[in-house]
Amino acid sequence: MGFLNFRGSCITFCCGLLVGFCFFFYFLNDFLENVPKQMEDPTDEDKRDTQWIKQKLALFNKAHPHHSGEDSSIGDELYNKVRVLCWIMTGPDNLEKKTKHVKATWTRHCNIVLFMSSVTDEKFPTIGLGTKEGRDQLYWKTIKAFHYVYEHHLEEADWFMKADDDTYVIVDNLRWMLSNYTPDQPIYFGKRFKPFAKQGYMSGGAGYVLSKESLKRFVEGFSKKECSHSSSVEDLAIGQCMEKVGVKAGDSRDTEKRETFHPFGPESHLTGHFSKSFWYWSYCFYPIVEGPQCCSDLAISFHYINPEGMYMLEYLTYHIRAYGYLYRYQPVLFENAQKLPVHTPSSKKTNIKPVIKQEKTNVTVLETKGEKS
């Protein structure tokens, strides 16, 4: 009798286990089918992506991306007048965790994109700088990255933006700010800090952008021994070098004196209140404003953005709109922008045939005669 009871219990247990496994695999399959496609590996999509033109280890953009049917004439004009090369500080361990999401979102709005790492990865692609990884290597990587840009891409852009692999940049807003200046001016912009340098220096996390003349002076500063690897603190060291070679620390605030480059995420600036003992108060060059007025409506960058945040900011920037709302801050295009020359991509340099007619979308650029992917 005891044996029969034991046998019955075993059968009941096995049946319950089988049913449990069936339910587990059902829900697991349902979950996987609903994982957002934008979180999948964008490098697979790049095989069909006609927006990028890969030239050696650089990615050139075919055209200014935007929504189909949307009037982006001013943005298109600035895209061809204010050419921005973006280079991203990253490392081999971050390519899958962070960098591929940077590649799939905001860098699509740059004219040229370079991913700087310690080792070369031709598939991604990344440029190997021959350095080690770690915070103590950041300035070495920055020095070598800017030297690489100077040697290979100096004439292909007007401005040169450095950003981390957890920084989100609204490149179209950057172009608007830069359109008030010319590439031959010795000036650079970013989130301006004030200690340890007379004119201050730009936060590394918020990103900073050098004019063509500033890039030349930075590289020449090392050949003339005016600059050296004096510190592992990347942003401070480059700021001190800029000061020595006569590059001005520019004011990146908008016409209403609101900050555009931000060293933290939007939630920290919009809703957070920094403790008075927090280092941020003593570092900021300009007065800190907390709450909704902290940030320009034409904000340029935010730092400490995780992969999900990259897609969220891309959506909030280029997709969501409030119906019937006329935006309160619509500054006119700077008069200087009208004087800037229009640059047309050189098909010889990029080794491609120019695309005559294209359908522009917010995701990619598709040739009208080709098949859509």
Side-chain angles (χ1 to χ4, degrees), residues 320-328 330:
I320 198 167
R321 299 289 186 272
Y323 179 75
Y325 179 74
L326 295 178
Y327 294 105
R328 59 179 179 174
Q330 299 187 73

Side-chain angles (χ1 to χ4, degrees), residues 149-304:
V149 171
Y150 175 84
E151 292 169 7
H152 296 88
H153 301 286
L154 180 65
E155 299 305 325
E156 295 169 346
D158 308 303
W159 298 86
F160 305 85
M161 176 79 191
K162 174 265 173 188
D164 291 343
D165 54 18
D166 61 349
T167 304
Y168 183 88
V169 181
I170 304 172
V171 184
D172 290 291
N173 291 351
L174 174 64
R175 286 196 182 94
W176 170 76
M177 189 270 290
L178 295 176
S179 69
N180 197 30
Y181 303 88
T182 58
D184 58 358
Q185 291 180 262
I187 194 168
Y188 82 125
F189 298 95
K191 168 62 182 179
R192 196 171 177 185
F193 286 158
K194 63 184 179 184
F196 314 118
K198 291 181 181 179
Q199 67 172 2
Y201 65 97
M202 306 304 170
S203 160
Y208 46 82
V209 59
L210 280 62
S211 68
K212 182 179 291 188
E213 177 62 24
S214 299
L215 176 60
K216 291 178 182 177
R217 293 194 184 194
F218 178 74
V219 172
E220 291 170 359
F222 282 89
S223 62
K224 295 178 180 178
K225 307 298 182 183
E226 294 174 303
C227 299
S228 63
H229 185 274
S230 56
S231 169
S232 61
V233 184
E234 164 237 337
D235 48 8
L236 172 60
I238 196 171
Q240 292 173 334
C241 176
M242 289 296 176
E243 196 169 87
K244 291 177 182 177
V245 298
V247 173
K248 180 182 177 182
D251 184 351
S252 61
R253 294 177 298 170
D254 68 17
T255 57
E256 296 187 2
K257 303 302 181 185
R258 294 175 299 182
E259 298 269 14
T260 57
F261 287 79
H262 304 93
F264 304 108
E267 68 281 358
S268 297
H269 294 282
L270 291 168
T271 64
H273 291 281
F274 302 111
S275 168
K276 296 301 179 181
S277 61
F278 190 43
W279 62 266
Y280 191 55
W281 288 96
S282 61
Y283 270 64
C284 287
F285 194 91
Y286 303 109
I288 295 176
V289 178
E290 297 178 293
Q293 294 302 313
C294 68
C295 315
S296 171
D297 290 15
L298 295 180
I300 291 171
S301 74
F302 292 99
H303 190 213
Y304 297 124

Side-chain angles (χ1 to χ4, degrees), residues 50-86:
T50 59
Q51 178 177 336
W52 297 116
I53 302 163
K54 184 178 177 183
Q55 183 72 11
K56 294 184 179 178
L57 297 175
L59 296 177
F60 291 77
N61 223 326
K62 271 191 178 180
H64 184 220
H66 56 75
H67 297 291
S68 178
E70 186 174 68
D71 181 4
S72 63
S73 55
I74 296 177
D76 292 341
E77 178 185 351
L78 290 181
Y79 180 86
N80 292 316
K81 285 186 172 184
V82 185
R83 298 173 301 170
V84 179
L85 179 149
C86 304

Side-chain angles (χ1 to χ4, degrees), residues 57 90-91 95 99 114-128:
L57 297 175
T90 189
L95 296 185
T99 321
L114 306 175
F115 294 96
M116 300 293 189
S117 180
S118 55
V119 295
T120 297
D121 183 327
E122 295 187 0
K123 182 181 178 182
F124 191 83
T126 65
I127 296 164

